[in-house]
Amino acid sequence: AFSEKLVILEHSYTLGEPDPPSLPEIMTYSDIGLPENANFFFTWHTLHRWLPEHDAIIESLLKNNPEALFVCIAGDSVLDQNILQRWRKKMQPVFSRIKPLNYQPYGKCLGIMQLADVLLAPPNVPGNNSLRTVFSHGFPMVTGTGKYIGARLGEFFYHELGITGVVAHSANEYIEIAERLLHDRRWREEKAGEILEKRDALFATSHAAIKELESFLLAAYERARKCLPPAYWVHGQFVEKGCADEK
């Protein structure tokens, strides 16, 4: 027998509140040390989320697209510098086109996203905050999927919105999606438009998830205050029987 009791919530995840549309700062190519109208991939995720098995993706994108740059955020930490050193050794022919930037305020990061041709998430960890950002502002971001929930967040939210074509199930598919976003401006704008058109439903679901969690916590507090034993929470109420019996 298990000592824990299951809490089953209809709305299982929340992105929180969307960003206000005025938040991004106006950024220029010269602000980040790039040539005017440079083509570039941008990842604003912390570098340690780009695992060694992802290096081949970055290298292929730069080899296949000699006009493109890979822009990332990197600080002076030992970890960040070690990752850059790893890339320098493994990707020596293309490393000169990897452009690390110092950590940026949030508004400036959004401005860089507006300039970028393609936003890239580490295939195994798209990040909840990053997803909230891209859905707030209509930025299509390439993401992957995987065994664990953290890797599947991007796939889940895109599925909820009915947006297809930007979730990769392999390294080759990741590269194909990123290159299509780089070269097919019309398709990129279509995906951005889809996100902006459908995003409100996703944030509305977030509000429902918050209210549902609030209801559970208040009910759990009252149950504990009355010294009642733990019970399962199913369909918005406590039930004394197990989940199998509920079915």
Side-chain angles (χ1 to χ4, degrees):
F2 294 102
S3 59
E4 298 85 1
K5 300 297 181 182
L6 292 179
V7 176
I8 301 176
L9 302 176
E10 180 181 354
H11 305 287
S12 59
Y13 215 85
T14 173
L15 283 176
E17 295 287 337
D19 284 342
S22 59
L23 194 56
E25 293 188 26
I26 302 298
M27 298 288 287
T28 66
Y29 293 94
S30 61
D31 288 335
I32 54 176
L34 300 185
E36 193 67 22
N37 297 318
N39 294 319
F40 69 98
F41 304 99
F42 179 51
T43 181
W44 73 320
H45 296 72
T46 49
L47 289 192
H48 70 268
R49 294 188 175 187
W50 287 93
L51 304 179
E53 55 262 39
H54 303 148
D55 292 353
I57 292 177
I58 299 172
E59 184 175 21
S60 293
L61 288 172
L62 292 174
K63 282 184 174 179
N64 296 348
N65 304 278
E67 80 289 354
L69 306 172
F70 180 86
V71 178
C72 58
I73 302 295
D76 296 326
S77 69
V78 172
L79 180 59
D80 282 359
Q81 293 304 310
N82 283 345
I83 292 169
L84 291 175
Q85 184 63 24
R86 183 186 86 212
W87 289 352
R88 183 180 288 108
K89 289 180 178 179
K90 293 179 69 174
M91 297 184 260
Q92 196 276 330
V94 296
F95 182 77
S96 62
R97 289 190 283 125
I98 294 178
K99 304 295 183 183
L101 303 177
N102 292 327
Y103 285 103
Q104 304 288 318
Y106 186 60
K108 289 187 176 181
C109 267
L110 293 177
I112 298 170
M113 290 181 182
Q114 289 180 323
L115 282 179
D117 296 280
V118 187
L119 298 184
L120 302 177
N124 64 321
V125 188
N128 186 66
N129 286 335
S130 295
L131 290 166
R132 182 185 63 80
T133 296
V134 297
F135 290 129
S136 290
H137 300 279
F139 301 142
M141 181 174 70
V142 188
T143 186
T145 187
K147 179 179 179 181
Y148 300 107
I149 187 171
R152 300 198 305 272
L153 284 179
E155 182 180 30
F156 168 74
F157 286 124
Y158 278 123
H159 176 76
E160 285 288 289
L161 294 180
I163 295 174
T164 60
V166 289
V167 178
H169 296 84
S170 68
N172 286 339
E173 189 177 11
Y174 189 103
I175 293 166
E176 290 171 5
I177 294 169
E179 291 182 341
R180 184 176 180 186
L181 287 169
L182 179 68
H183 297 294
D184 190 341
R185 184 181 183 89
R186 181 175 179 180
W187 188 67
R188 185 167 76 234
E189 291 175 349
E190 285 177 1
K191 291 301 167 185
E194 282 187 68
I195 295 171
L196 291 173
E197 179 184 352
K198 299 176 179 180
R199 64 179 180 177
D200 289 347
L202 194 61
F203 287 108
T205 303
S206 294
H207 296 153
I210 292 169
K211 294 299 293 184
E212 186 178 20
L213 180 59
E214 177 186 57
S215 297
F216 162 71
L217 292 174
L218 289 172
Y221 171 78
E222 282 300 312
R223 189 175 181 87
R225 192 175 64 83
K226 295 175 181 177
C227 297
L228 296 174
Y232 294 98
W233 175 269
V234 183
H235 303 313
Q237 61 183 351
F238 284 108
V239 295
E240 303 299 333
K241 296 182 290 183
C243 290
D245 296 330
E246 278 300 300
K247 295 180 182 177

